[in-house]
Amino acid sequence: MRAEISFGKSLIGILFVGLAAASCTTTSKPAATAANTKTKQGQPAKVTFNYTAKDRDCLQRAMYFESQHSDEDGYMAVGTVVMNRLTSGAYPPSICGVVAQKRQFAPGVMTREVKPQAETELASAADAILIKGARHPAVKDAMFFHTDGLKFPYNNMHYVTVAGGNAFYEKRDSNGMLQTPPPLPSYEVAMNYVPGESMLPPQFEALIPSAVPVPLPAPDPMATASTAQMRITAPETSPVTLVEPEPGMPIAIPTPRPAYDSVMLRESLPANGG
């Protein structure tokens, strides 16, 4: 009798251990699958920004004139601010739009001469930012800077680094929170080069019926940097103000070119930084 009881206890013990082992085996696989799924889903899609050769030139100009013609460290710091503004969503959606924004960057940044001896280092810094996604690590989320050594009474200027003769800072509230939309980290940004393309809207936007005469558009009174030197006059032999198209022929109306590359620059540094 004792032998039968002992055998029964041993058999129950073996069954219990087997069930426990089977239970561990079946629960470990779904856990591993869930972990793998979470890893795949955790990879964010990159946000793509287009840029042209003109945008690259605008970036180099900002780096050169705002860093006091310094060195690659200063160039990268200013370039990082430009990219932070571009990807924050609170500033113009193109590099040239950011650099030429009114009262933001140095006067003449879009028109002054860049010395030839700086071209090689500027090109290297621009390519590092646009092609390799490089950023100045100490600039972090800063979108503002001013000449190093200046002092201001504002308490929302959270300084992060000094480079190229400038002090870079983030605007943060009393709780330490950014007061501006944060920029995207570089690993979430993809820069797409568009060769030979203009970021401007098409000049001929609409077709209209030709049943009525079409007046010629008046010259744009807002001259831009690229058009200031141009003088457009009507031919002396053809002082025509109206166009009489053939019946049924669609006519494209030219629209004035937007002042995309106009020099919209600050006249002086604002008191709350660059």
Side-chain angles (χ1 to χ4, degrees):
M1 185 64 180
R2 291 181 179 176
E4 291 178 355
I5 293 173
S6 177
F7 176 76
K9 289 182 179 180
S10 300
L11 182 60
I12 292 172
I14 293 173
L15 290 174
F16 178 77
V17 172
L19 289 173
S23 176
C24 293
T25 303
T26 55
T27 55
S28 60
K29 290 182 179 180
T33 302
N36 292 336
T37 303
K38 184 177 180 181
T39 301
K40 292 179 180 179
Q41 293 177 350
Q43 298 176 352
K46 290 191 175 184
V47 180
T48 301
F49 293 85
N50 291 334
Y51 74 97
T52 65
K54 178 64 176 175
D55 288 307
R56 184 173 180 271
D57 178 67
C58 289
L59 177 63
Q60 292 183 185
R61 285 180 162 277
M63 293 190 296
Y64 181 71
F65 291 112
E66 287 288 11
S67 66
Q68 301 179 12
H69 320 168
S70 59
D71 52 18
E72 188 173 3
D73 187 59
Y75 295 158
M76 290 297 294
V78 174
T80 299
V81 168
V82 174
M83 298 305 293
N84 283 351
R85 289 192 172 200
L86 175 68
T87 63
S88 73
Y91 294 88
S94 70
I95 293 175
C96 282
V98 169
V99 175
Q101 191 176 14
K102 187 176 181 180
R103 299 179 181 275
Q104 296 299 310
F105 288 87
V109 69
M110 299 291 287
T111 57
R112 293 162 60 191
E113 179 187 3
V114 176
K115 299 299 181 182
Q117 55 266 31
E119 292 287 351
T120 301
E121 200 166 26
L122 278 172
S124 175
D127 289 342
I129 289 174
L130 296 173
I131 299 175
K132 301 178 183 178
R135 301 289 188 271
H136 193 295
V139 172
K140 300 180 181 178
D141 291 339
M143 285 183 265
F144 310 93
F145 59 89
H146 60 71
T147 303
D148 184 32
L150 299 179
K151 302 296 182 182
F152 299 94
Y154 308 105
N155 57 8
N156 64 342
M157 301 168 73
H158 178 74
Y159 290 93
V160 293
T161 191
V162 173
N166 292 312
F168 295 80
Y169 64 95
E170 304 165 342
K171 287 186 178 180
R172 294 183 177 273
D173 59 22
S174 57
N175 296 321
M177 302 297 293
L178 282 173
Q179 294 178 317
T180 53
L184 294 174
S186 60
Y187 58 80
E188 291 186 11
V189 175
M191 299 303 297
N192 177 50
Y193 176 62
V194 185
E197 291 289 335
S198 172
M199 303 305 289
L200 298 171
Q203 187 174 2
F204 299 97
E205 295 182 339
L207 293 176
I208 66 167
S210 59
V212 295
V214 181
L216 292 174
D220 186 358
M222 299 297 294
T224 65
S226 60
T227 60
Q229 301 298 326
M230 298 174 61
R231 184 179 179 183
I232 303 174
T233 58
E236 295 181 0
T237 58
S238 303
V240 180
T241 57
L242 295 179
V243 177
E244 295 285 353
E246 296 180 6
M249 179 185 199
I251 299 298
I253 299 182
T255 58
R257 178 177 178 180
Y260 175 78
D261 59 346
S262 60
V263 184
M264 303 285 288
L265 303 169
R266 64 185 177 186
E267 297 177 358
S268 60
L269 279 171
N272 59 350

